[in-house]
Every structure is written in structure tokens, then in C-alpha cells.
Amino acid sequence: MQQSGPYISSHGLDIHGIHNVVHAYWNLDTPQLIEESVRRHEGVIAQGGPLVVRTGQHTGRSANDKYIVKEPGSDAHIWWGKSNTPIAQEKFAGLRARMLAYLQGRELFVQDLWGGADPSYRLGVRVVTESAWHSLFIRNLLIEPKAEELPGFLPQFTIIHAPHFHAVPEIDGTRSEVAIVVDFASRTVLIGGTSYAGEIKKSVFTILNYLLPERGVMPMHCSVNVGERGDSAIFFGLSGTGKTTLSADPHRTLVGDDEHGWSDDGVFNFEGGCYAKMIRLSPTAEPEIYAATRRFGTVLENVVMNPETREVDLDDASYAENTRGAYPLSFIPNASRTGVAGHPENIIMLTADAFGVLPPISRLSADQAMYHFLSGYTAKVAGTEKGLGNEPQATFSTCFGAPFMPRHPSVYGNLLKEKIARGDVKCWLVNTGWTGGEFGVGHRMPIAHTRALLKAALDGSLATVSTRTDPNFGFQVPESCPGVPSEVLDPRQTWADKAAYDAKARDLVGRFIKNFEQFEAHVDEGVRKASPKAA
């Protein structure tokens, strides 16, 4: 096996059963990986320097192709069901053997990285992939160890990524040729049959979501930023609800845009980069993210590029609606250098309400916060998963990230409620979805209004204004905010047909009540009483 790279670990690929590789490239830096990507015809360089790549038929997560190995050590702790599908140990062993055989005779790229900015809780992750651009992607997304840490780097978890290897359902027990399989016993993840890079990133998130609660750390699908006073804020939300956009505030320091932990010492980023949606990105509304699309080192997935001028067109969804950009956090001018911050003063739960029922912002009690955290109501945005059409679909994704939560939601919900109570944290539900009617009738909430409301919430001024009690959900809704028309704060007033609003509100309340039945036995009376009331 030929090996090269600036830092080759003394703990080689043989410890993973990987043998007879033509060439292993260890911990190549950004220029080297871009050079290899172009040499191997994996991508092309666009105007300004970003690497433009295509992911083929899989332009979003393969949510139905994820599995967790059913083994004695973790079996009792996994929330088995739709989000966590079991696969037998012998099936995993067979799949792994065939994948390792497939990798023989190939060039491989290895990155040794940290998942977690806090040294007390970080996880050593090794990512082995057959594509140079995927190696660059995960190098951008996770945290680079110091030079002196790499020669003896011993991974605590290993991800073996072979996008051109295909599972055989009849042999492997999978649903399709795609397989994303986590085995907590061998501390290994296998990813095959898909080039969508987000599967690598979310596998690390899944691992940390399993490991950290046992240490009293709340893992969160959220972004975090910090104000001048050192006041940190958490933004929960699924893809497309605005976590990345709204947390990239030029007046606040960005800790991270997607995945964090909340320990007894404060909050910390799991990552060292951002993975932002690119479609119809605005240089006016999202200037920091837009600027990153013009930089050397950024990876642009499925973004359309003019082959002659090398200009990218962020408005063109010809390849996918879910176009993405992966870049180091340092590309954001006001990003945190440490990835850590103190305990939050505010928690923002973002939801894209496709029904147009929820107010643009509401104040939640601790019980209501846990209720809405466990509910995780939003709308899935077209393109973020296979099988979605062109319209958003109303959904409940518990903890605002059900596909990545291996444990029962009550584990995360109780951790959150405990930390909110301990720190007297203010909680807000923010609707970045529709107003003036449901999807197809109304329009998306103006981002200027959302930013104005968030500014007032984070600087404390919104907590002092008069409020009304929402008749459907019982939370407190501010009656005024600078820069936001008062009628916008009352969604019913934005509908031309008030009776239609009332009917849609009753429908949504019913959906909340029905969805929460699965959690009623796992929460206390206060949380149960935080449920909206059917008319």
C-alpha cells in the first residue's frame, strides 16, 4: 500500500480491515484535495474558486435507507421505529466484508478529525472515502486537529464511505442499493450507494446524539450565535426553516449553524464548518453566506455553472432544489474562533408553518417549550429528502431532528427542560413559514420581519411589550414590535377569509394533539397541559 500526505497516523487502515489499497492519501489540505478532485474529474473550479460537484441521482438524504445494527450493547437504549430501523449483526458483517473487498485496489482519502469543539466532549472521527471531494467536504465540516495530534491519531469512530458501492437488498437486507449503517459495537459507519455528502455529516451527528446524553450533554440540531454581552442564543429547526440564514447575523458572533451540545459549562459546536442551502441565495438577505460561494475551498453541490464563463447560477434548480455549499466556519467574517460559548439566554424554535396558522413569534413557558420541542412541527422543504414533491409537506419531526436522534425523544426533552429551568432561559416559537393563507394562497413570512422580531427578542425588548394569549395554542404573542406591522403579529388578521383561518387552525390543533399522544406517557402533567386545546 502506497501512502502519502502531511500526517499519516501510526494507527493505519489495517485496523479497520482495509487492505491492498493502491494509494492512501492522508489528511490532505484544501489545495491538495481540490487538485486531486480536478485530476480525477470529480469536480470543476468555478469563477472565484469554489469546487462545483454533482451528486448524481441522490441530491438529498436517503431517509429510508438508514439503519442501526441491533446489538446487545445499545439495543435497550435505541428508540426503534421509523427513524431508527434495525439491521441484524450478520447482515452488517456481510455488508462490511463486501464493502472492504470493493475498496481493494483503489485510491482512498483519509481525514482524521474532531467532532466537537469542547475538548472535554469531542469525538475522534476517521473518514475514509473513495472521493477526494468528499474528503474536502468533511474536512470543511468537522474540526481539524492540531498538527501534533495527527501522527498518533486513534479514531473513536470510523466512517467508511464508498458512494459507488451498492448494497444488494436480497443479500444485505436493505430496502435499496443505498445503505447508511451505524454500528455502535464496532464504532463504525458504512455509507454506500449515495454521493450526497450530507450523509457523512449527519452520521457524525447521529453518533454524538447517542453518546453525549449519558454524559449530561444535550445534543441539538440547532445553530448558535452570541451577542456583544456574551449572551448566546440557540436556534432549533429543520432544514429550510432558517437556522443558517437567521443565525448568520453581522451583529452577533456565529458559533455554528447546525449541530451543537449543551453541557454544564455552556454550548459548543460539533462542527468547524457550514453546510448551507444555496438555492436562490440572496446577496442582500444573506451576504455572509453568499460571499462564501465565491471562495476557494468551498464545495458547491449540484449548483448550476456556465461551462464557458464558469459563473454559477444560484437561482437555477435544474439539478436539484436542495443545492448546497460546504465551507469552513472561518469564511463567515464574525464566526467564533473557539466554537464554544456560555449558557444561552434565549432559545428560538423555528418552524415553517405551511398552514399559515402560527404567529410570526410567540413566547413559550418551559412546559410549552418542551411540548413544542418534542412535537417538532414544521414543513419539509422540497429536495431535502428523496421522494418529496415540489410543495412543502407539513410534518412533525421530534426534537427538530428525529432522523438523527437514536434515543427516545423524552431523553432529549427532559435534558432540555432541566437546562431551561436551571438557567431561566427565555423560549420563543418563530414561524418562518406562511402568512396570509396556507401554502399556495398566502406568502412566505418576509425575512425582514423575522429579523426584526428576533432582534427584539434577543435584546430583551420584546419580553417587555404587552401580549395576548393565542386562542388556539395558549402561548403569549407580542402585540407590537418595531419594524413589524401590528396585523402581521396576529395571523388571523392577515387572512382575507377569517372562517377559513379558523378551520385551518382547528385542523392544525388536531394534528398537534394526535401527534403528541405518543409522548404523553413520558412527560409530566405540566407538559401535557401545554397542549393546544381542541375547539
Side-chain angles (χ1 to χ4, degrees), residues 150-228:
L150 285 167
F153 191 95
L154 179 62
Q156 296 162 279
F157 236 98
T158 301
I159 299 174
I160 302 176
H161 178 251
H164 302 297
F165 169 86
H166 298 287
V168 180
E170 296 79 9
I171 297 175
D172 300 313
T174 57
R175 293 190 181 95
S176 74
E177 295 181 342
V178 177
I180 303 103
V181 187
V182 181
D183 179 36
F184 289 107
S186 65
R187 292 189 162 233
T188 303
V189 179
L190 304 180
I191 302 175
T194 173
S195 290
Y196 181 65
E199 301 289 10
I200 310 174
K201 161 191 158 68
K202 288 304 184 186
S203 293
V204 178
F205 188 39
T206 300
I207 295 163
L208 291 169
N209 284 340
Y210 177 78
L211 297 176
L212 290 179
E214 288 188 342
R215 304 181 64 188
V217 177
M218 170 66 183
M220 303 175 293
H221 187 209
C222 70
S223 56
V224 174
N225 64 23
V226 184
E228 294 179 356

Side-chain angles (χ1 to χ4, degrees), residues 34-50:
I34 290 176
E35 187 176 61
E36 286 296 326
S37 298
V38 173
R39 178 182 70 85
R40 295 159 58 89
H41 305 290
E42 296 173 356
V44 294
I45 298 175
Q47 188 69 244

